[in-house]
Amino acid sequence: MSKIIDGKLIAQNVKDNLKVKVAEFEKEYGRKITLAVVLVGENPASQVYVKNKIRATEYVGMKSLSFNLPENSTENEVSELIKSLSSDNSVDGILVQLPLPKHLDENKILALIPAEKDVDGFLAENVGNLMLGLPTTVACTPFGVLQMLKSENIDLVGKNAVVIGRSNIVGKPMAMLLLKENCTVTICHSKTQNLKEICKTADVLVAAIGRPKFVTADMVKEGAVVIDVGINRTENGLVGDVDFDAVKDIAGYISPVPGGVGPMTIAMLLENTYICAKRREN
Ligand code: NAD
C-alpha cells in the first residue's frame, strides 16, 4: 500500500509560506505584488481556472488585475492589452489563459510578454534558461511536481525517472527538472516502443499523457513514486492518467486525481509571480 501524496495539503503549505513572504515584500518595497490575468472568450473551463487563480492570488495577499476580452477580439486588440501590461511598472506577472480562440496566433501573442513577467515559464528565453541552469521561471505544473517530490523528502539522486509525455508545458520541462535533480531521465511519447518495459524501470514515474487510466499496475515497479499529471473528464468524473486503484497497491508513493498535481499548479503560479516580483525589484 503506497503513501498518498496530498497535493492539496502541500499546495496549502506553499500558499501559507507565500502569504508571509508577500507581506514582507509589501513592507520592504511599499507596493503589492500584482498579477494580470488575461482571458479571451468564454471557454467555461478557462473561466473556472481563471476564477481559481484570481482567488488564490488574493489569498496570498497579491493584487490581481483581471481582463476578460470578447471571443471575437482581434489579434491587434489582444496584443495592445499585453503591450500595455508589459510596460506597466506596477505589473509583476502576466498570465494569458490558454487556449486562445482559434483565430488568434498563440505563439505570437505569448511572445509579447517580457521574460521577466512570464509567470507561466512558457517563453523561449525562460525555457532556454531552464536548459542552461540559469535563474528562470519554470512551467507551473512540472514545478509543482518537483515541489511535491521535495515535500515528501524523496531522494532523487541517481534514480531512474521516466516521464510519459513530451509537451512543452509538462513533459519536456519535467524531464529537465528531474535531470537537474540528478535523475537518469527517459522521456516516453506516443511513438515510444516497449513503453511498459521502460516504465517498469522507473523509480519515479510521471504520467502526463491525457488518457484516462493509461498507466496500469503491470507498468509500475514495486515501490516506485508515481505522479499523475493527467486530468481527464469522463462520465465518472475527473480521472487521472494512472489506474489509481490498482497502482496504489504497488507504488511506494502515488498522487491522486483530483487533489494531487492540480492544486500544486496554482500554488506554483503564485510562487512564480513572487519570483518575478522579487527579481524585478533586484
Ligand atoms: P499534450 O496532449 O500536449 O501531450 C500529451 C503527451 O502524451 C504527448 O507528448 C504524447 O506524445 C504523449 N502520448 C499520447 N499518447 C501516448 C501513448 N499512447 N503512449 C505514450 N505517450 C503518449 O498534453 P499536456 O498538455 O502535456 O497534458 C497532459 C495531461 O496533463 C492532460 O491530461 C492534461 O489535462 C493534464 N494537465 C494537467 C495539469 C495540472 O495542473 N494537473 C496541467 C497541465 C496538463
Side-chain angles (χ1 to χ4, degrees):
M1 185 70 186
S2 51
K3 168 152 201 263
I4 294 172
I5 305 179
D6 187 343
K8 226 170 145 180
L9 180 70
I10 301 169
Q12 189 60 44
N13 290 339
V14 170
K15 286 188 283 185
D16 287 338
N17 285 337
L18 262 175
K19 237 180 181 176
V20 178
K21 293 194 286 183
V22 168
E24 282 167 5
F25 180 100
E26 196 173 332
K27 223 161 138 194
E28 187 171 354
Y29 301 106
R31 67 178 189 86
K32 269 195 182 293
I33 296 177
T34 301
L35 174 66
V37 181
V38 178
L39 172 65
V40 185
E42 274 149 30
N43 178 324
S46 293
Q47 284 175 329
V48 173
Y49 288 139
V50 163
K51 206 173 91 195
N52 290 342
K53 286 171 185 175
I54 290 171
R55 194 187 304 143
T57 307
E58 286 163 3
Y59 175 82
V60 298
M62 294 178 185
K63 181 174 165 187
S64 67
L65 301 174
S66 170
F67 300 88
N68 197 348
L69 299 181
E71 179 86 27
N72 60 0
S73 302
T74 63
E75 200 161 289
N76 195 38
E77 284 164 340
V78 183
S79 301
E80 283 309 311
L81 173 61
I82 307 294
K83 282 183 201 160
S84 82
L85 295 171
S86 302
S87 57
D88 184 339
N89 219 18
S90 71
V91 172
D92 295 291
I94 304 171
L95 180 147
V96 176
Q97 184 63 42
L98 301 179
L100 288 171
K102 286 203 167 42
H103 66 281
L104 299 172
D105 184 338
E106 220 158 80
N107 289 330
K108 225 163 135 186
I109 287 171
L110 290 181
L112 295 170
I113 301 173
E116 78 261 22
K117 296 188 182 186
D118 173 27
V119 286
D120 266 328
F122 288 168
L123 292 187
E125 186 177 332
N126 284 325
V127 174
N129 284 341
L130 173 63
M131 283 284 283
L132 296 172
L134 297 172
T136 186
T137 43
V138 181
C140 304
T141 301
F143 191 19
V145 171
L146 185 67
Q147 181 68 35
M148 288 169 101
L149 297 172
K150 291 199 161 167
S151 298
E152 295 293 336
N153 292 315
I154 290 165
D155 181 18
L156 294 171
V157 178
K159 296 292 157 60
N160 287 337
V162 174
V163 179
I164 319 176
R166 57 174 161 184
S167 70
N168 289 336
I169 63 165
V170 188
K172 284 186 206 162
M174 186 73 253
M176 205 45 65
L177 285 175
L178 290 166
L179 184 62
K180 215 169 146 206
E181 296 299 318
N182 294 307
C183 288
T184 303
V185 183
T186 307
I187 305 177
C188 297
H189 49 78
S190 53
K191 301 282 189 276
T192 296
Q193 292 178 0
N194 305 325
L195 182 69
K196 179 175 149 188
E197 286 72 20
I198 298 170
C199 290
K200 270 246 163 194
T201 67
D203 301 306
V204 178
L205 180 62
V206 180
I209 313 152
R211 291 178 175 229
K213 301 189 184 182
F214 182 90
V215 175
T216 46
D218 58 340
M219 295 167 76
V220 177
K221 177 163 130 182
E222 185 99 34
V225 179
V226 179
I227 305 288
D228 190 350
V229 179
I231 299 179
N232 307 290
R233 282 165 226 283
T234 71
E235 280 175 359
N236 304 320
L238 277 194
V239 174
D241 286 347
V242 176
D243 183 357
F244 182 86
D245 288 333
V247 172
K248 76 175 186 328
D249 295 331
I250 296 162
Y253 293 81
I254 187 166
S255 73
V257 176
V261 177
M264 293 304 298
T265 298
I266 295 193
M268 301 327 274
L269 166 72
L270 305 174
E271 186 74 41
N272 274 345
T273 307
Y274 175 78
I275 290 170
C276 286
K278 234 2 211 178
R279 221 174 268 149
R280 290 182 68 243
E281 285 296 343
N282 295 325

